[in-house]
Short mmCIF file of all heavy atoms in Angstrom, two decimals:
data_model
loop_
_atom_site.label_atom_id
_atom_site.label_comp_id
_atom_site.label_asym_id
_atom_site.label_seq_id
_atom_site.Cartn_x
_atom_site.Cartn_y
_atom_site.Cartn_z
N GLY B 45 -25.63 124.35 149.70
CA GLY B 45 -26.70 124.64 148.76
C GLY B 45 -27.09 126.10 148.80
O GLY B 45 -27.28 126.72 147.76
N GLU B 46 -27.15 126.68 150.00
CA GLU B 46 -27.47 128.10 150.13
C GLU B 46 -26.51 128.94 149.30
O GLU B 46 -26.91 129.77 148.51
CB GLU B 46 -27.33 128.53 151.59
CG GLU B 46 -28.54 128.21 152.44
CD GLU B 46 -29.72 129.04 152.03
OE1 GLU B 46 -29.68 130.24 152.28
OE2 GLU B 46 -30.67 128.49 151.46
N ILE B 47 -25.21 128.66 149.50
CA ILE B 47 -24.21 129.47 148.81
C ILE B 47 -24.37 129.31 147.31
O ILE B 47 -24.40 130.27 146.57
CB ILE B 47 -22.80 129.05 149.26
CG1 ILE B 47 -22.56 129.49 150.70
CG2 ILE B 47 -21.74 129.70 148.35
CD1 ILE B 47 -21.44 128.78 151.37
N SER B 48 -24.56 128.06 146.85
CA SER B 48 -24.59 127.88 145.40
C SER B 48 -25.84 128.51 144.80
O SER B 48 -25.79 129.07 143.73
CB SER B 48 -24.46 126.41 145.04
OG SER B 48 -25.72 125.83 144.94
N SER B 49 -26.98 128.46 145.50
CA SER B 49 -28.17 129.07 144.91
C SER B 49 -28.09 130.59 144.99
O SER B 49 -28.63 131.29 144.14
CB SER B 49 -29.45 128.54 145.54
OG SER B 49 -29.65 129.13 146.79
N ARG B 50 -27.37 131.08 145.99
CA ARG B 50 -27.17 132.52 146.06
C ARG B 50 -26.34 132.97 144.86
O ARG B 50 -26.66 133.95 144.18
CB ARG B 50 -26.43 132.86 147.36
CG ARG B 50 -26.64 134.27 147.80
CD ARG B 50 -26.04 134.49 149.16
NE ARG B 50 -26.83 133.88 150.23
CZ ARG B 50 -26.41 133.79 151.49
NH1 ARG B 50 -25.22 134.23 151.83
NH2 ARG B 50 -27.19 133.26 152.40
N ALA B 51 -25.29 132.21 144.58
CA ALA B 51 -24.45 132.55 143.43
C ALA B 51 -25.24 132.42 142.14
O ALA B 51 -25.12 133.25 141.23
CB ALA B 51 -23.24 131.63 143.40
N PHE B 52 -26.08 131.40 142.07
CA PHE B 52 -26.88 131.20 140.86
C PHE B 52 -27.86 132.35 140.67
O PHE B 52 -28.08 132.83 139.57
CB PHE B 52 -27.62 129.86 140.94
CG PHE B 52 -28.37 129.52 139.69
CD1 PHE B 52 -27.69 129.21 138.53
CD2 PHE B 52 -29.76 129.54 139.66
CE1 PHE B 52 -28.36 128.89 137.37
CE2 PHE B 52 -30.45 129.23 138.49
CZ PHE B 52 -29.74 128.91 137.35
N GLY B 53 -28.47 132.80 141.78
CA GLY B 53 -29.38 133.94 141.71
C GLY B 53 -28.68 135.16 141.17
O GLY B 53 -29.19 135.85 140.30
N MET B 54 -27.47 135.39 141.68
CA MET B 54 -26.74 136.57 141.22
C MET B 54 -26.38 136.42 139.75
O MET B 54 -26.57 137.35 138.95
CB MET B 54 -25.48 136.75 142.07
CG MET B 54 -24.79 138.07 141.85
SD MET B 54 -23.26 138.18 142.75
CE MET B 54 -23.85 138.67 144.36
N ALA B 55 -25.92 135.24 139.37
CA ALA B 55 -25.54 135.02 137.98
C ALA B 55 -26.74 135.17 137.05
O ALA B 55 -26.60 135.66 135.93
CB ALA B 55 -24.92 133.63 137.82
N SER B 56 -27.93 134.79 137.55
CA SER B 56 -29.13 134.89 136.71
C SER B 56 -29.46 136.34 136.36
O SER B 56 -30.16 136.61 135.38
CB SER B 56 -30.34 134.30 137.43
OG SER B 56 -30.12 132.96 137.71
N SER B 57 -28.99 137.25 137.19
CA SER B 57 -29.33 138.65 136.93
C SER B 57 -28.38 139.28 135.92
O SER B 57 -28.64 140.36 135.40
CB SER B 57 -29.28 139.44 138.24
OG SER B 57 -27.95 139.63 138.64
N PHE B 58 -27.26 138.60 135.60
CA PHE B 58 -26.24 139.23 134.75
C PHE B 58 -26.73 139.60 133.34
O PHE B 58 -26.47 140.72 132.89
CB PHE B 58 -24.98 138.36 134.67
CG PHE B 58 -24.18 138.38 135.95
CD1 PHE B 58 -23.22 137.41 136.21
CD2 PHE B 58 -24.40 139.36 136.91
CE1 PHE B 58 -22.50 137.42 137.39
CE2 PHE B 58 -23.69 139.37 138.10
CZ PHE B 58 -22.74 138.40 138.34
N PRO B 59 -27.42 138.68 132.62
CA PRO B 59 -27.85 139.09 131.26
C PRO B 59 -28.72 140.35 131.30
O PRO B 59 -28.55 141.26 130.48
CB PRO B 59 -28.66 137.89 130.77
CG PRO B 59 -28.26 136.75 131.62
CD PRO B 59 -27.81 137.31 132.93
N PHE B 60 -29.62 140.39 132.28
CA PHE B 60 -30.51 141.55 132.39
C PHE B 60 -29.72 142.82 132.70
O PHE B 60 -29.94 143.88 132.11
CB PHE B 60 -31.55 141.30 133.49
CG PHE B 60 -32.63 142.33 133.55
CD1 PHE B 60 -33.78 142.18 132.79
CD2 PHE B 60 -32.51 143.46 134.33
CE1 PHE B 60 -34.77 143.14 132.83
CE2 PHE B 60 -33.49 144.43 134.37
CZ PHE B 60 -34.63 144.26 133.62
N LEU B 61 -28.77 142.68 133.63
CA LEU B 61 -27.96 143.84 133.99
C LEU B 61 -27.15 144.33 132.79
O LEU B 61 -27.03 145.54 132.58
CB LEU B 61 -27.02 143.50 135.16
CG LEU B 61 -27.74 143.26 136.50
CD1 LEU B 61 -26.75 142.83 137.57
CD2 LEU B 61 -28.47 144.52 136.94
N ALA B 62 -26.64 143.39 132.01
CA ALA B 62 -25.88 143.77 130.82
C ALA B 62 -26.77 144.54 129.85
O ALA B 62 -26.38 145.57 129.30
CB ALA B 62 -25.29 142.53 130.15
N LEU B 63 -28.00 144.03 129.66
CA LEU B 63 -28.96 144.71 128.77
C LEU B 63 -29.23 146.13 129.26
O LEU B 63 -29.24 147.09 128.48
CB LEU B 63 -30.27 143.91 128.71
CG LEU B 63 -31.41 144.55 127.92
CD1 LEU B 63 -31.14 144.43 126.44
CD2 LEU B 63 -32.74 143.89 128.26
N MET B 64 -29.46 146.28 130.57
CA MET B 64 -29.80 147.60 131.12
C MET B 64 -28.62 148.56 131.00
O MET B 64 -28.79 149.74 130.72
CB MET B 64 -30.18 147.47 132.59
CG MET B 64 -31.55 146.93 132.83
SD MET B 64 -32.79 147.93 132.01
CE MET B 64 -33.50 146.73 130.93
N LEU B 65 -27.43 148.02 131.20
CA LEU B 65 -26.25 148.87 131.11
C LEU B 65 -26.07 149.37 129.67
O LEU B 65 -25.93 150.57 129.42
CB LEU B 65 -25.01 148.09 131.56
CG LEU B 65 -23.76 148.94 131.78
CD1 LEU B 65 -23.93 149.84 132.98
CD2 LEU B 65 -22.54 148.05 131.95
N ALA B 66 -26.13 148.45 128.72
CA ALA B 66 -25.85 148.81 127.33
C ALA B 66 -27.04 149.47 126.65
O ALA B 66 -26.86 150.24 125.71
CB ALA B 66 -25.43 147.56 126.55
N GLY B 67 -28.27 149.19 127.12
CA GLY B 67 -29.44 149.67 126.40
C GLY B 67 -30.22 150.74 127.14
O GLY B 67 -31.21 151.25 126.63
N PHE B 68 -29.82 151.08 128.36
CA PHE B 68 -30.59 152.06 129.13
C PHE B 68 -29.67 153.10 129.77
O PHE B 68 -29.77 154.28 129.46
CB PHE B 68 -31.43 151.32 130.18
CG PHE B 68 -32.41 152.19 130.90
CD1 PHE B 68 -33.53 152.67 130.24
CD2 PHE B 68 -32.21 152.53 132.22
CE1 PHE B 68 -34.44 153.48 130.89
CE2 PHE B 68 -33.13 153.35 132.88
CZ PHE B 68 -34.24 153.81 132.21
N VAL B 69 -28.77 152.64 130.62
CA VAL B 69 -27.95 153.58 131.39
C VAL B 69 -27.00 154.36 130.47
O VAL B 69 -27.00 155.59 130.46
CB VAL B 69 -27.15 152.83 132.48
CG1 VAL B 69 -26.28 153.80 133.25
CG2 VAL B 69 -28.09 152.10 133.42
N VAL B 70 -26.23 153.63 129.67
CA VAL B 70 -25.25 154.30 128.82
C VAL B 70 -25.92 155.21 127.78
O VAL B 70 -25.48 156.35 127.59
CB VAL B 70 -24.29 153.27 128.17
CG1 VAL B 70 -23.34 153.95 127.21
CG2 VAL B 70 -23.52 152.54 129.25
N PRO B 71 -27.00 154.76 127.10
CA PRO B 71 -27.66 155.68 126.15
C PRO B 71 -28.14 156.97 126.81
O PRO B 71 -28.02 158.05 126.22
CB PRO B 71 -28.84 154.87 125.63
CG PRO B 71 -28.41 153.47 125.77
CD PRO B 71 -27.55 153.42 126.98
N LEU B 72 -28.66 156.88 128.05
CA LEU B 72 -29.12 158.10 128.72
C LEU B 72 -27.94 159.02 129.03
O LEU B 72 -28.03 160.24 128.88
CB LEU B 72 -29.88 157.75 130.00
CG LEU B 72 -31.22 157.04 129.80
CD1 LEU B 72 -31.95 156.91 131.12
CD2 LEU B 72 -32.09 157.78 128.80
N LEU B 73 -26.83 158.41 129.44
CA LEU B 73 -25.63 159.23 129.68
C LEU B 73 -25.16 159.87 128.38
O LEU B 73 -24.69 161.00 128.37
CB LEU B 73 -24.51 158.36 130.28
CG LEU B 73 -24.76 157.86 131.70
CD1 LEU B 73 -23.64 156.98 132.18
CD2 LEU B 73 -24.94 159.05 132.65
N CYS B 74 -25.32 159.13 127.29
CA CYS B 74 -24.93 159.63 125.97
C CYS B 74 -25.74 160.88 125.63
O CYS B 74 -25.20 161.87 125.12
CB CYS B 74 -25.14 158.51 124.97
SG CYS B 74 -24.74 158.91 123.28
N VAL B 75 -27.06 160.86 125.94
CA VAL B 75 -27.90 162.04 125.69
C VAL B 75 -27.41 163.22 126.52
O VAL B 75 -27.27 164.34 126.03
CB VAL B 75 -29.38 161.73 126.03
CG1 VAL B 75 -30.20 163.00 125.99
CG2 VAL B 75 -29.93 160.72 125.06
#
Side-chain angles (χ1 to χ4, degrees):
Chain B
E46 278 292 290
I47 290 162
S48 91
S49 77
R50 203 173 286 171
F52 185 69
M54 191 185 277
S56 300
S57 73
F58 288 163
F60 189 89
L61 291 176
L63 175 75
M64 283 303 120
L65 191 69
F68 188 71
V69 179
V70 176
L72 292 187
L73 291 178
C74 179
V75 171

